[in-house]
Amino acid sequence: SDSVYARSVAAAVFVVGLTEMSLELTALAAFQSLYGYVYYGLALIVAAFMAGLAFGGLLGVRLVSAGRVSRGILAAAQLAFVAVPVALLAAIEAIAGLPAESLLTWSTLFPMLVVGSALLAGVQFPLAFALVAGDLSRPGSTGGRLYATDLAGAALGAVGTSVFMLPIMGISGTMQSLAILNFALFVCLLPWGSSDRPR
């Protein structure tokens, strides 16, 4: 039903918020581990993340404005989030294996590792809103609830990643867990025989 799908969309927004914060913290932890300092990396990584989020939001709004909104597109965006933690893990492991002279070059490129995930998150939010907003009679209420859900996911991601996931499971276990979690939400978002477009 539509209500079940709306809850699945809200859950996806929550999980993406959690995933984004977890990826950002993981990138910061990896930067500090590789280079021995973090404040320089903090500014660049956060700036790169926000730039990716803004560009992704613009792209998502344009998709909505062009009428290119469907449950299949949102599910595809969620599926892309399955690959992001795996790609980040592979990139960190590759950088860690580089010779010392190459690490300095990568210190300026390291923030780019979070841009892809931020771009996807920016695209997801307008699509999610368009799919659950209904007749748009109360767009502020719907948008506010989704944004609160995103922030709640990010808050849980900040605490869970820094206090539990990274210390207990390490970077590899954390990234694998995020990939599995996002795949579960991808399955929930599949348009199982229902109308693929919102009414």
Side-chain angles (χ1 to χ4, degrees):
S1 68
D2 288 344
S3 63
V4 171
Y5 182 75
R7 286 194 291 270
S8 296
V9 171
V13 170
F14 179 89
V15 167
V16 166
L18 184 153
T19 300
E20 288 300 301
M21 186 57 68
S22 183
L23 292 172
E24 197 170 353
L25 289 174
T26 299
L28 288 170
F31 188 94
Q32 184 174 31
S33 177
L34 290 169
Y35 297 100
Y37 57 93
V38 72
Y39 292 107
Y40 168 78
L42 174 64
L44 291 179
I45 289 172
V46 171
F49 178 84
M50 296 306 293
L53 197 63
F55 185 76
L58 178 62
L59 180 59
V61 168
R62 288 187 175 180
L63 287 173
V64 172
S65 298
R68 300 181 62 183
V69 181
S70 70
R71 295 183 177 188
I73 291 176
L74 184 63
Q78 191 67 39
L79 180 61
F81 270 105
V82 177
V84 169
V86 178
L88 179 61
L89 174 60
I92 290 173
E93 290 178 342
I95 294 172
L98 293 174
E101 58 271 17
S102 298
L103 283 177
L104 184 60
T105 301
W106 268 97
S107 67
T108 57
L109 298 176
F110 203 92
M112 295 299 103
L113 298 179
V114 300
V115 170
S117 64
L119 185 122
L120 284 172
V123 169
Q124 185 219 37
F125 193 88
L127 294 177
F129 171 80
L131 285 165
V132 300
D135 61 2
L136 293 177
S137 60
R138 300 180 63 190
S141 176
T142 300
R145 286 197 300 271
L146 280 180
Y147 186 54
T149 301
D150 177 68
L151 292 179
L156 180 61
V159 175
T161 301
S162 58
V163 177
F164 299 105
M165 296 178 73
L166 283 177
I168 296 173
M169 297 187 292
I171 292 177
S172 179
T174 299
M175 295 299 97
Q176 291 172 13
S177 298
L178 290 176
I180 293 170
L181 183 60
N182 279 278
F183 183 78
L185 265 297
F186 160 70
V187 174
C188 292
L189 289 176
L190 287 174
W192 300 103
S194 61
S195 175
D196 193 44
R197 290 189 175 275
R199 291 180 295 177

